[in-house]
Each structure stands twice: as structure tokens, then as C-alpha cells.
Amino acid sequence: MGIGEKEDQRFINYNNLLNDYLIQNKYPFVQYNSVGTYHEWLTWRRCLYEFVQKIF
């Protein structure tokens, strides 16, 4: 699960809510915060880079 650190507060709040839900229900996941980005290509690219390293 990834998010840009410059996202609007409502998106950050939703991300935190989802994060808490996954932790409480013991779902495995990885959180990635993209430094200095919004919901944009660079955020997606960084998240993909981090994710691919974990599956290959």
C-alpha cells in the first residue's frame, strides 16, 4: 500500500484508517510513503519498485 506524502489530509486519513484495519485483522501488507510526491506517476513508480523487489 503506497501513498505520496504530499497528499490531501483526507487521503492520508483514509490510508491510516485502512492501515489500522489491516493491522487489527492481521492481514499481511507493506506500507510505503513516497517522499515529496502527490498521487502521481513518481509515487506509483516508487511503489512499484519497492513491491517488485519483494516478489522477485
Side-chain angles (χ1 to χ4, degrees):
M1 186 166 57
I3 190 168
E5 286 185 345
K6 288 188 170 183
E7 289 287 351
D8 289 339
Q9 191 60 45
R10 63 186 168 139
F11 296 120
I12 293 172
N13 292 344
Y14 178 75
N15 192 316
N16 291 337
L17 181 68
L18 183 57
N19 190 342
D20 292 343
Y21 175 83
L22 294 173
I23 290 170
Q24 289 173 0
N25 291 287
K26 297 183 172 86
Y27 287 104
F29 74 100
V30 175
Q31 174 72 33
Y32 178 74
N33 294 325
S34 179
V35 178
T37 62
Y38 297 93
H39 190 86
E40 59 186 86
W41 170 241
L42 184 54
T43 304
W44 286 87
R45 186 174 148 190
R46 289 176 178 173
C47 292
L48 179 61
Y49 176 78
E50 292 296 320
F51 177 69
V52 168
Q53 292 182 65
K54 294 180 185 325
I55 62 170
F56 289 109

